[in-house]
Amino acid sequence: MSAQGARTIYKEHMIEEYVVREEPYYLPLSDEVEVFEAAYAQKIPVLLKGPTGCGKTRFVEHMAYRLGRPLTIVKPRSKQGLTEGGIPLVTVACHEDLSATDLVGRYLLEGESTKWIDGPLTRAVKSGAICYLDEIVEARKDTTVLIHPLTDHRRILPVEKKGQVIEASGNFLLVISYNPGYQSALKDLKHSTRQRFIAIEFGYPTREEEREIIEHESEVSPEIAWELAKLGEKVRNLKEHGLEEGVSTRLLIYAAKLIGEGIPPRRACHVAIVWALTDDAEVQRSIEEVVSTIFE
Amino acid sequence: MEDKSLSSLEEELKRFSPAILAEFQKAAPSARERLSPQQFQEWAGEGIAIAQLSFRTWEAALEYFRVTPKVLEKLSFADFLSWAQLGRRLSQESSALSSAYFRASPGTLGLLSPSAIGDWVRIGKILYQETWRSSSLCCKFYETSPKLLRYLSLEETERFVHFLHSLTEKSYDFATECLALAEEVFPGIEREERKPFLNLALVLAETNWRDAKTYFASAPKLLSRIERQERKRFLSIAQAIATSDGSYAPSFLFDGSQALFRVDEVHHGRLLDLFEKILLVSPVAAVEFLKSCPTLVDRIGISGTECWFEEGKRVLQRREEAGEAYFRLESAKSEEVLERLSSRVELEQVRELLRMYSRALTGRNAQILSSENLKDKGIGWTSLENPSTEGTAVYLPSFIERYDSKGQNFTWYKVMVTHQAGHLEFGSFDFSFDKESELFPNWRFELGGRSRDSITDLERFFDLFADRRLAADIFTAVEDSRVDYRLKREYAGIRGTYEQIQREALAWRPPLHSLPLREAFLEFLVQMSLQDLKEIVFPAEVEGELRFVAQIGSRVKSPQATVEDSAEATIRLYSLLSTIANEICAQGWQTIDLSQLPQALDELKLSLEGTPWGEVAKGEEPPYQSPEVVQFRGDFKPELVQLLTKLRQDYSKKDSPVSPLSPEALMELLEKSAEIEITNLSVGDLSSLGLFLSNILGEVEQSPPLQPDQAKKRDSRKKMKLGEKALNEEERSFLYDEWNFRANDYKPKWCRVREKALAEGTTDFFENTLRDHSRLAAQIKRQFEMLTPELFKKIKRLHDGEDFDLDAVIESMVEKKAGITPSEKIYWRRNKVERDVSVVFLLDMSASTSEAIEEVRRLDDWDFYGDIRGYMSRFRAYREEIAGRKSKQIIDVEKESLVLLIGALETIGDKYGIYGFSGYGRDNVEFFVIKDIEEDFSEKVKGRIDKVTPMHATRMGPAIRHATSKLGGQDSKTKILFLISDGRPQDQGYGRDSMEKDYAIHDTKMALLEAKRRNIIPFCLTVDKAGQDYLKKMCHDIGYEVVWNIQSLPKRLPALYRRLTA
């Protein structure tokens, strides 16, 4: 950046250079780690399904770290920095205006001429990163078509505007996520897309597992974590009975963190769970009653 | 001389009538006794004078002589003379009058001082108007005087007579009746109330004579309803009302007293205070207030009522109409204030909340219903008060007012639900005979039990015991104890409240020493389940047994304990308790320390031998009574629940109403089960047992079992099933408020909308319409298809996009060269506007849509004035003509339009629902589902369209509100409510007459506005040519259109739709 690079107080990475350095905590609920490793070894794209906040993103980070670990050891610091320790993780959160251009790249005006800028997907393909397209169905339909050639045996990315085809680097893997719960039928994933991925389904963890996750993430006492896990289980019973979606582990962790900071448990649950989940006064009150039944 | 004069007198009298003479002779001896000869002469002379007055006065004279002996007893001769002279003067007016006067005198004179006789006569004469009716009334008055004067002073009598007199101006019959009633009425009225009572009567007779009689007749009853001290006040208020504006007085008198009657007497004074405060502002509101009092006092007490009143007074002062509705309890505001003040919690208000709460705890979709529903089912539950569950729903009392605060009352509900949910969550009903228990050795397996022919595991379990009732009671106590323990352990937050309520329950338990021994043991078990007892007062001789019971009882209070453990505990306790005689134990009660119970179970030596096992020792002892139900726990009937669950499962599996179980086996189970209350069913009464059985089977058919998280599937299955069946199955009802524009407030829960699926007919109508209008159909379809491509739009001049917009780039370059800051908007992007439309068509199915179209038009064309014969003949010809080729009705055109539109809608994929509405009265707004918004288009829908026929009235408001709530559940970007009608809204009490017209229109308008507020675009289409006038008012700034030529509707509707959604 500037001459005084040493003074920067924030970390800035090129998108394809972002590597997960520290092991993200992830508690396997089943054999998803092994399955993912096998898929990675065979370069089979992966679809992660599951409700919001159940740990899909964390899982991808965890896997990026885990799969990159041997590389860190084998290859010491190199000049290029691209493969410097671990597999880069390119995460794109999809939104409804996300178009193919946004993923692949575009021309920008620079001075008198135009300049091509690679999009995140192109960069990931080139650098051999794990490219994680979060909530893929939110994006425009043209993006899903774009990833088709990348996700079969061809593993190529056509860049129409430049008249190029980029072959994916050996390490490249496409991972997409998708929540079948609340998307309307209009936004369902097409079969031509869907059948290019293996699917790993994420559910909510069991009470015991969730307690462990909450305890680890927020450093509250096991008792509080246990009660929160219990609350999570109870509130999830309300899914489709007032709630569109059960409470996520993420929210439970937030509540735990607030409790850790000294907020009384009922209040913490109030702000982190009750209000976060719904605007419907009656549902709020029901959850509130469940909270007051569980927490003193 | 004396004799001569006597004979001459007799001679004279004889001339008038021999009857007179006879009377004279009868009276003479006693007169002679009392009177001097001089006086005797005067006496007789007076009689003759009366008789001489006119043609018929001899009758009066006759009476005069007849009553003389009695009158003379009461009056001195001087008074006698003036009495007689009064009579003579009356005779001058009317002989009948004075006859009545004389006749009534013996009875009356004892009640009056001699000097008051004149007043009495004068009062009577007020009624006399020289007509025969008045004279007969007046006579009646004199005749009833002896009775009247017994209760009334002269002054009061005079008032009463004035009352009668003013009634006579309207109706002599009424006056006569009142007079006749008087002798019954006055005894019922206290002395000090008579004056105000008569004053009011007087006013009423002038202002409201028709009600006056009713008032007069029912006064004693009326007044008896009111607290003694307040009666006078009540009457004077009524008088004030009647004086100012008579029309509210009857309502005040009758409804008001009725209402006060339903309130505790001590509050009457305060309520009347309040009443008077608003009386001057609005008599209507005041009377309404009084009428609402019973409800108010019942719900929020007297002090609450005062607060509620103050709020209402403010409303009233701002706006009279609103205040009246407030006091009538017909405004949302009043309901809201009432709600705030009420400490009572109604199940209805918290039902949904509790449902979600119990769902959260159990993961099962248990409904929350009032206990009445369960009792009404007649399947074994009889209590209205106790909470319970039968496996698919939790039943609770319909309201709680145990405590003074809403919060506490709600907590009571919550604890009850938690307990019932605990039974579901911790598996009370999942008992399995063959499952190992955790804490006890499994004696069940050794004891065996019939494994083959039992229907449920619990039946098999209870079959182990000779006395099922005792076993069931033990099991209930132990299992409740286990569930409570688990709940308190699992849910720390509710623990405190729960224990509080347990302590309260404990305080209500009967003392142990009042019970026979076996019952005392049971009671001890129950009390132990409510609290950890450290010590207890119990007979010392059974200390060992008590320790054993305590040990077993506390063992199930463990996180590991399962329902099977409760069962094992039951076996052990039963084997002990069945040997204990149920006798009152008078001696040896002492405190037994229970704090040190051994952890290890020293198994009591129990003999499993003996035939049959567990027969209860029976001696000379009081019959065993089950312990009282712990209120917050309610009824626990695991055996019935298991049975119902089992039957439901079988039913849903087989999908046939015939139970795979033989009715005999079921009967046997029911007969022996201790859970069916004997009070309801005499033992061995097979006919009522049969009824009971059919109730149970009916219940099973109605509600298939609910597994966790299967609720949704069930719903869809139900829907499907109903689609196949006939009408009336699915009668879901919804309550909606109605807008009262006069009060500027809602009438809460005013209308009931019943949603039903329309029956299915044939698909012919649908197919025929498409065939008949094939050209139009194709045309519409093409138009709609053209809508789709328009949705992709290339948007230029963006900051960011798919590619450069070349024009913009060049411009930008030029600007740059020219030294101007170039525009950065140089990209373009294809923007796909997703069509995301939900629409609801609301079809008016009122009776008026049956009007034939041609008929309307052609009859209008004919000018029949002056040529009625020609008109008739043409009309007849026309009738024959249309009889031949079924004429088209308005509704047919509406249906045709829909058919054509459906085709179009299917091509563009908008979500749409079609509903019809009609009904009669606010309690019965019918809402027919032709195609539900979530439902796919199918043959069924085609069939239903066929069945769209004109029905009853048009109450638009609630139908619109219901459609709005349906649309509100959709998450589309564009939501449209399309109302198709043929005229103005009207229903009973809803725009029927011109007074109400505005009401209906305003309510409809408000309903449309509500829709608009919820981001729904309402649109009204009417085929009523007169529609312009009210639609303008009704729709205000909402889109509407009047279709002038109904034939064009099929063409117009799709066009409008396109315009609306574009």
Side-chain angles (χ1 to χ4, degrees):
Chain A
M1 285 215 72
S2 66
Q4 298 167 323
R7 294 276 300 158
T8 42
I9 50 164
Y10 51 87
K11 291 179 194 162
E12 195 177 61
H13 302 275
M14 288 305 281
I15 194 166
E16 67 275 26
E17 287 172 17
Y18 172 70
V19 177
V20 183
R21 296 278 171 209
E22 278 165 37
E23 179 172 7
Y25 172 78
Y26 181 78
L27 181 76
L29 301 181
S30 163
D31 59 351
E32 65 267 27
V33 172
E34 292 78 34
V35 170
F36 193 94
E37 277 175 346
Y40 187 74
Q42 291 297 319
K43 304 291 174 260
I44 305 169
V46 178
L47 162 67
L48 306 178
K49 276 173 141 178
T52 180
C54 69
K56 298 185 295 275
T57 307
R58 178 62 71 88
F59 174 68
V60 176
E61 285 178 5
H62 177 78
M63 292 315 295
Y65 174 82
R66 204 181 159 94
L67 294 166
R69 205 167 36 185
L71 291 174
T72 328
I73 301 161
V74 175
K75 288 197 178 178
R77 183 178 285 266
S78 78
K79 267 186 188 170
Q80 278 186 322
L82 279 186
T83 51
E84 177 204 349
I87 301 172
L89 177 62
V90 175
T91 305
V92 180
C94 301
H95 53 85
E96 46 188 19
D97 275 340
L98 188 89
S99 62
T101 315
D102 294 327
L103 284 178
V104 176
R106 59 163 58 87
Y107 282 106
L108 290 178
L109 279 183
E110 196 178 81
E112 303 281 300
S113 62
T114 57
K115 186 190 171 196
W116 173 260
I117 300 289
D118 279 340
L121 183 61
T122 315
R123 290 173 183 224
V125 168
K126 284 180 178 169
S127 63
I130 292 179
C131 182
Y132 176 46
L133 302 179
D134 202 357
E135 301 291 1
I136 182 76
V137 285
E138 290 292 338
R140 287 158 169 254
K141 293 281 178 287
D142 53 348
T143 56
T144 47
V145 180
L146 183 76
I147 61 179
H148 282 185
L150 265 178
T151 48
D152 52 25
H153 63 280
R154 292 171 284 176
R155 284 173 63 80
I156 50 167
L157 177 69
V159 184
E160 229 176 289
K161 286 177 191 147
K162 289 173 80 183
Q164 287 178 339
V165 169
I166 306 169
E167 268 183 64
S169 150
N171 288 338
F172 173 78
L173 184 76
L174 189 66
V175 180
I176 62 174
S177 80
Y178 151 68
N179 180 356
Y182 54 78
Q183 267 102 12
S184 62
L186 268 174
K187 288 182 172 175
D188 212 358
L189 213 48
K190 270 187 278 185
H191 267 272
S192 54
T193 309
R194 178 185 276 255
Q195 296 200 6
R196 288 161 191 275
F197 295 84
I198 63 157
I200 300 178
E201 181 137 9
F202 287 72
Y204 293 111
T206 64
R207 208 191 276 188
E208 185 51 49
E209 288 163 342
E210 195 152 37
R211 181 194 63 74
E212 205 178 320
I213 299 169
I214 296 171
E215 196 186 334
H216 181 277
E217 289 288 299
S218 64
E219 293 167 354
V220 288
S221 69
E223 289 75 33
I224 297 274
W226 176 252
E227 299 289 297
L228 279 168
K230 190 190 290 170
L231 177 65
E233 189 183 303
K234 301 297 177 198
V235 173
R236 279 167 204 152
N237 279 334
L238 287 178
K239 191 175 169 194
E240 285 170 12
H241 291 267
L243 285 183
E244 275 179 38
E245 188 75 49
V247 59
S248 63
T249 309
R250 181 167 44 219
L251 280 181
L252 293 175
I253 293 167
Y254 288 170
K257 285 181 171 169
L258 291 179
I259 295 170
E261 288 295 323
I263 306 284
R266 282 193 184 182
R267 178 70 183 146
C269 292
H270 194 79
V271 294
I273 297 170
V274 179
W275 283 2
L277 273 180
T278 175
D279 297 324
D280 182 319
E282 193 148 45
V283 183
Q284 279 182 349
R285 209 157 151 225
S286 324
I287 304 173
E288 193 72 9
E289 291 301 334
V290 178
V291 169
S292 72
T293 295
I294 290 176
F295 286 100
E296 283 178 82
Chain B
M1 139 98 190
E2 275 185 11
D3 283 349
K4 183 181 175 273
S5 61
L6 184 68
S7 61
S8 72
L9 277 172
E10 285 180 349
E11 199 61 26
E12 209 168 332
L13 286 168
K14 204 175 170 185
R15 275 194 290 134
F16 296 110
S17 152
I20 285 196
L21 184 62
E23 285 298 335
F24 172 75
Q25 281 164 344
K26 256 191 246 169
S30 67
R32 208 186 300 273
E33 222 170 87
R34 287 181 181 264
L35 303 175
S36 65
Q38 176 65 27
Q39 288 170 332
F40 186 85
Q41 284 295 330
E42 282 182 47
W43 168 66
E46 196 63 41
I48 292 166
I50 293 170
Q52 277 172 337
L53 274 172
S54 75
F55 173 59
R56 287 188 61 93
T57 47
W58 63 268
E59 289 166 0
L62 184 143
E63 291 294 335
Y64 166 75
F65 286 124
R66 200 165 61 80
V67 299
T68 296
K70 284 183 185 161
V71 175
L72 274 176
E73 282 170 29
K74 288 170 184 151
L75 297 179
S76 66
F77 188 70
D79 291 334
F80 181 89
L81 274 186
S82 59
W83 167 78
Q85 274 153 15
L86 283 168
R88 179 143 58 104
R89 243 172 274 143
L90 264 183
S91 303
Q92 285 168 348
E93 310 246 0
S94 151
S95 157
L97 233 58
S98 71
S99 302
Y101 165 74
F102 287 128
R103 243 193 328 272
S105 288
T108 315
L109 292 179
L111 302 166
L112 288 174
S113 67
S115 61
I117 300 173
D119 285 333
W120 176 49
V121 174
R122 177 181 56 77
I123 292 168
K125 269 173 70 185
I126 296 172
L127 292 171
Y128 182 64
Q129 302 287 321
E130 295 181 4
T131 63
W132 71 268
R133 299 200 71 161
S134 68
S135 122
S136 96
L137 183 68
C138 189
C139 290
K140 276 242 174 56
F141 168 75
Y142 286 124
E143 278 161 21
T144 43
S145 288
K147 284 172 186 156
L148 280 178
L149 288 167
R150 202 172 301 157
Y151 305 108
L152 301 180
S153 69
L154 262 185
E155 193 194 350
E156 286 160 354
T157 314
E158 185 168 356
R159 267 176 220 274
F160 175 57
V161 166
H162 276 298
F163 162 66
L164 292 179
H165 177 63
S166 74
L167 266 188
T168 56
E169 285 169 16
K170 306 292 196 283
S171 158
Y172 268 100
D173 289 342
F174 271 30
T176 316
E177 279 175 55
C178 284
L179 185 56
L181 283 166
E183 55 179 299
E184 292 163 27
V185 168
F186 286 110
I189 295 172
E190 302 282 331
R191 183 158 295 279
E192 68 270 23
E193 293 155 16
R194 282 184 200 141
K195 198 171 148 192
F197 164 72
L198 286 167
N199 286 346
L200 173 59
L202 205 55
V203 175
L204 278 179
E206 278 157 16
T207 56
N208 226 319
W209 61 278
R210 279 175 208 282
D211 292 308
K213 194 203 101 189
T214 329
Y215 157 70
F216 184 80
S218 52
K221 204 167 125 211
L222 247 156
L223 287 172
S224 70
R225 294 167 177 163
I226 295 158
E227 205 264 329
R228 193 173 289 260
Q229 303 290 320
E230 301 298 334
R231 288 180 194 163
K232 255 168 96 175
R233 171 138 157 247
F234 182 81
L235 289 169
S236 53
I237 293 176
Q239 192 190 340
I241 297 178
T243 322
S244 66
D245 180 353
S247 53
Y248 304 114
S251 172
F252 170 75
L253 278 169
F254 302 117
D255 301 337
S257 67
Q258 184 63 39
L260 283 174
F261 179 59
R262 286 162 57 205
V263 178
D264 190 346
E265 282 199 341
V266 298
H267 303 319
H268 287 183
R270 286 170 89 177
L271 292 177
L272 286 174
D273 286 345
L274 298 179
F275 176 85
E276 281 185 300
K277 278 192 198 170
I278 48 168
L279 182 59
L280 289 179
V281 187
S282 160
V284 186
V287 171
E288 292 299 345
F289 164 68
L290 210 54
K291 284 199 260 180
S292 303
C293 276
T295 320
L296 293 169
V297 175
D298 184 37
R299 276 188 63 185
I300 53 180
I302 185 73
S303 53
T305 305
E306 276 171 358
C307 297
W308 182 86
F309 175 86
E310 288 306 323
E311 191 67 44
K313 205 171 108 189
R314 276 193 283 280
V315 175
L316 185 69
Q317 275 155 357
R318 273 199 301 275
R319 206 183 137 108
E320 202 162 311
E321 291 262 8
E324 282 160 16
Y326 179 96
F327 284 110
R328 208 179 294 131
L329 289 175
E330 275 179 13
S331 83
K333 170 96 177 158
S334 75
E335 202 49 52
E336 181 198 310
V337 176
L338 192 56
E339 176 56 27
R340 208 175 57 222
L341 291 169
S342 161
S343 67
R344 163 151 116 184
V345 179
E346 310 242 0
L347 182 60
E348 207 51 50
Q349 294 154 353
V350 294
R351 180 200 297 277
E352 192 56 19
L353 175 62
L354 292 174
R355 186 187 69 76
M356 282 190 274
Y357 174 75
S358 88
R359 179 168 167 97
L361 290 193
T362 60
R364 297 188 211 209
N365 199 24
Q367 279 183 291
I368 301 284
L369 296 171
S370 118
S371 296
E372 288 161 41
N373 299 11
L374 187 56
K375 180 175 180 277
D376 291 347
K377 283 181 177 171
I379 52 170
W381 279 263
T382 53
S383 165
L384 282 177
E385 298 291 312
N386 295 336
S388 192
T389 176
E390 40 74 280
T392 59
V394 172
Y395 293 86
L396 299 170
S398 50
F399 62 87
I400 299 290
E401 44 185 9
R402 286 172 70 91
Y403 304 101
D404 292 337
S405 86
K406 245 187 156 67
Q408 278 175 303
N409 283 326
F410 176 75
T411 305
W412 176 255
Y413 260 135
K414 188 175 165 184
V415 166
M416 284 196 288
V417 173
T418 310
H419 181 80
Q420 297 301 331
H423 277 305
L424 294 167
E425 185 179 1
F426 300 118
S428 291
F429 307 118
D430 303 334
F431 172 78
S432 159
F433 195 92
D434 298 321
K435 201 173 141 203
E436 303 251 343
S437 51
E438 301 280 333
L439 305 167
F440 294 94
N442 294 293
W443 286 7
R444 271 169 298 158
F445 305 156
E446 290 170 45
L447 289 165
R450 298 181 308 164
S451 58
R452 290 287 153 258
D453 19 342
S454 315
I455 298 174
T456 65
D457 281 26
L458 272 168
E459 184 198 2
R460 191 174 154 200
F461 173 69
F462 284 122
D463 273 347
L464 295 176
F465 307 97
D467 185 342
R468 291 176 71 106
R469 175 112 90 101
L470 179 62
D473 289 343
I474 297 174
F475 183 71
T476 304
V478 173
E479 181 63 9
D480 276 341
S481 170
R482 181 183 78 89
V483 166
D484 278 3
Y485 175 81
R486 287 288 298 269
L487 282 172
K488 285 193 287 179
R489 196 187 143 78
E490 186 82 5
Y491 301 116
I494 204 172
R495 197 181 292 148
T497 332
Y498 209 98
E499 281 171 355
Q500 168 70 30
I501 281 174
Q502 282 188 324
R503 275 196 298 279
E504 276 172 35
L506 198 62
W508 284 97
R509 302 305 300 174
L512 291 173
H513 57 78
S514 69
L515 299 169
L517 203 52
R518 196 188 304 141
E519 288 174 29
F521 267 106
L522 249 304
E523 182 58 37
F524 166 69
L525 210 53
V526 172
Q527 295 192 4
M528 224 184 94
S529 74
L530 290 170
Q531 201 176 27
D532 289 326
L533 298 168
K534 291 277 177 276
E535 52 180 37
I536 191 90
V537 177
F538 218 73
E541 56 176 303
V542 289
E543 186 179 343
E545 284 85 347
L546 184 77
R547 283 182 176 281
F548 176 77
V549 170
Q551 203 186 344
I552 302 270
S554 57
R555 176 163 282 217
V556 290
K557 292 187 182 177
S558 145
Q560 286 99 43
T562 62
V563 64
E564 286 77 18
D565 288 303
S566 296
E568 285 297 328
T570 304
I571 295 179
R572 283 157 180 78
L573 291 168
Y574 180 89
S575 68
L576 176 75
L577 296 183
S578 61
T579 63
I580 286 173
N582 196 30
E583 285 161 345
I584 297 275
C585 183
Q587 294 136 11
W589 291 79
Q590 64 177 58
T591 307
I592 295 172
D593 179 24
L594 295 173
S595 55
Q596 301 282 312
L597 287 173
Q599 280 305 303
L601 194 66
D602 55 333
E603 293 278 348
L604 225 75
K605 289 229 167 12
L606 297 165
S607 91
L608 301 181
E609 311 290 310
T611 51
W613 184 76
E615 187 67 72
V616 176
K618 278 215 173 69
E620 298 289 309
E621 54 183 41
Y624 167 76
Q625 302 273 331
S626 300
E628 277 173 44
V629 171
V630 181
Q631 240 189 338
F632 78 90
R633 289 174 178 166
D635 296 324
F636 177 54
K637 297 183 189 279
E639 197 178 350
L640 274 177
V641 174
Q642 268 206 342
L643 173 68
L644 282 167
T645 311
K646 170 116 174 83
L647 290 174
R648 282 179 182 132
Q649 275 165 358
D650 290 344
Y651 176 72
S652 65
K653 253 183 254 160
K654 302 228 163 183
D655 229 352
S656 77
V658 185
S659 159
L661 307 159
S662 73
E664 290 76 26
L666 277 172
M667 283 288 245
E668 191 198 325
L669 188 157
L670 297 175
E671 211 171 338
K672 67 192 177 192
S673 173
E675 291 170 6
I676 297 166
E677 280 162 47
I678 301 299
T679 47
N680 212 26
L681 210 65
S682 52
V683 185
D685 179 354
L686 283 179
S687 66
S688 57
L689 209 57
L691 176 71
F692 184 77
L693 181 65
S694 64
N695 281 348
I696 285 204
L697 291 177
E699 166 64 18
V700 165
E701 284 173 35
Q702 269 174 21
S703 54
L706 273 173
Q707 300 300 322
D709 287 317
Q710 280 192 343
K712 254 209 151 165
K713 275 181 211 155
R714 188 176 85 96
D715 279 355
S716 63
R717 203 190 58 186
K718 197 170 163 197
K719 215 178 267 171
M720 201 188 74
K721 241 170 111 182
L722 286 165
E724 290 156 10
K725 278 193 191 167
L727 195 75
N728 288 339
E729 286 285 330
E730 189 179 25
E731 268 221 342
R732 300 194 293 149
S733 78
F734 305 82
L735 296 178
Y736 289 98
D737 297 353
E738 193 165 275
W739 179 251
N740 177 1
F741 80 101
R742 291 195 186 90
N744 214 357
D745 197 352
Y746 287 98
K747 293 181 178 173
K749 295 186 184 161
W750 197 251
C751 299
R752 181 186 299 280
V753 174
R754 296 177 194 275
E755 185 178 323
K756 4 185 156 174
L758 203 60
E760 282 165 43
T762 62
T763 59
D764 293 354
F765 181 86
F766 193 91
E767 314 291 353
N768 288 343
T769 307
L770 279 186
R771 206 184 48 233
D772 295 349
H773 296 82
S774 56
R775 255 190 58 204
L776 185 58
Q779 200 182 325
I780 293 170
K781 207 166 173 179
R782 213 167 32 247
Q783 284 169 344
F784 271 71
E785 276 163 354
M786 276 160 61
L787 275 176
T788 334
E790 289 170 18
L791 300 174
F792 289 99
K793 277 183 186 150
K794 195 170 176 177
I795 302 178
K796 293 182 172 185
R797 297 191 185 270
L798 293 174
H799 278 288
D800 193 7
E802 288 174 43
D803 209 341
F804 290 126
D805 172 1
L806 271 180
D807 295 343
V809 170
I810 292 165
E811 241 171 69
S812 160
M813 287 301 193
V814 170
E815 279 168 1
K816 209 170 167 187
K817 295 259 181 202
I820 310 165
T821 315
S823 162
E824 288 175 359
K825 296 179 178 176
I826 50 169
Y827 290 95
W828 62 263
R829 164 160 44 193
R830 251 184 323 221
N831 218 6
K832 188 181 168 198
V833 184
E834 282 201 36
R835 195 176 168 85
D836 192 8
V837 178
S838 294
V839 60
V840 158
F841 293 94
L842 203 50
L843 203 59
D844 176 3
M845 283 164 65
S846 62
S848 51
T849 51
S850 65
E851 254 175 83
I853 295 165
E854 282 94 342
E855 194 170 39
V856 174
R857 203 190 64 227
R858 290 173 67 169
L859 288 182
D860 281 352
D861 292 348
W862 296 334
D863 176 18
F864 64 88
Y865 297 105
D867 181 17
I868 193 77
R869 190 168 298 166
Y871 169 78
M872 285 314 286
S873 71
R874 261 181 298 171
F875 183 69
R876 223 172 293 125
Y878 168 68
R879 284 285 290 277
E880 277 158 21
E881 182 193 331
I882 57 167
R885 51 156 188 93
K886 213 178 137 210
S887 80
K888 213 181 232 180
Q889 302 174 336
I890 292 180
I891 198 136
D892 291 328
V893 184
E894 289 185 7
K895 280 156 75 178
E896 277 173 13
S897 320
L898 269 183
V899 170
L900 292 171
L901 192 62
I902 286 176
L905 287 172
E906 287 294 323
T907 48
I908 54 168
D910 288 354
K911 277 198 221 163
Y912 64 101
I914 305 172
Y915 306 94
F917 70 97
S918 183
Y920 41 92
R922 65 183 176 98
D923 196 32
N924 209 345
V925 181
E926 293 161 311
F927 194 87
F928 298 99
V929 178
I930 299 162
K931 177 188 171 299
D932 215 352
I933 202 160
E934 300 286 1
E935 191 180 351
D936 288 331
F937 178 64
S938 64
E939 294 292 307
K940 277 183 204 158
V941 177
K942 293 185 188 173
R944 284 191 209 127
I945 290 178
D946 183 44
K947 285 285 174 190
V948 173
T949 41
M951 318 271 287
H952 314 285
T954 327
R955 208 180 189 96
M956 283 185 187
I960 293 172
R961 289 190 178 94
H962 191 58
T964 304
S965 80
K966 282 199 169 274
L967 260 178
Q970 298 297 315
D971 58 353
S972 300
K973 273 187 206 147
T974 315
K975 293 184 249 188
I976 297 171
L977 178 79
F978 218 116
L979 177 70
I980 305 170
S981 76
D982 74 324
R984 61 170 75 243
Q986 55 169 237
D987 188 12
Q988 192 184 321
Y990 194 81
R992 260 283 153 81
D993 55 44
S994 56
M995 283 286 287
E996 288 169 346
K997 253 180 197 169
D998 278 350
Y999 179 88
I1001 285 173
H1002 275 91
D1003 178 52
T1004 310
K1005 176 181 173 181
M1006 192 43 89
L1008 291 168
L1009 272 175
E1010 284 163 31
K1012 207 170 171 185
R1013 275 186 215 132
R1014 292 182 63 174
N1015 243 341
I1016 292 166
I1017 307 169
F1019 190 88
C1020 303
L1021 185 69
T1022 186
V1023 295
D1024 179 10
K1025 286 175 194 170
Q1028 206 66 260
D1029 68 328
Y1030 61 89
L1031 270 180
K1032 205 176 208 167
K1033 208 185 216 173
M1034 198 163 89
C1035 295
H1036 191 54
D1037 56 348
I1038 287 163
Y1040 68 92
E1041 181 161 318
V1042 180
V1043 176
W1044 287 88
N1045 178 5
I1046 185 160
Q1047 305 283 24
S1048 69
L1049 187 66
K1051 215 190 244 167
R1052 191 67 194 133
L1053 188 61
L1056 271 172
Y1057 183 79
R1058 264 197 359 253
R1059 206 187 69 201
L1060 264 180
T1061 58

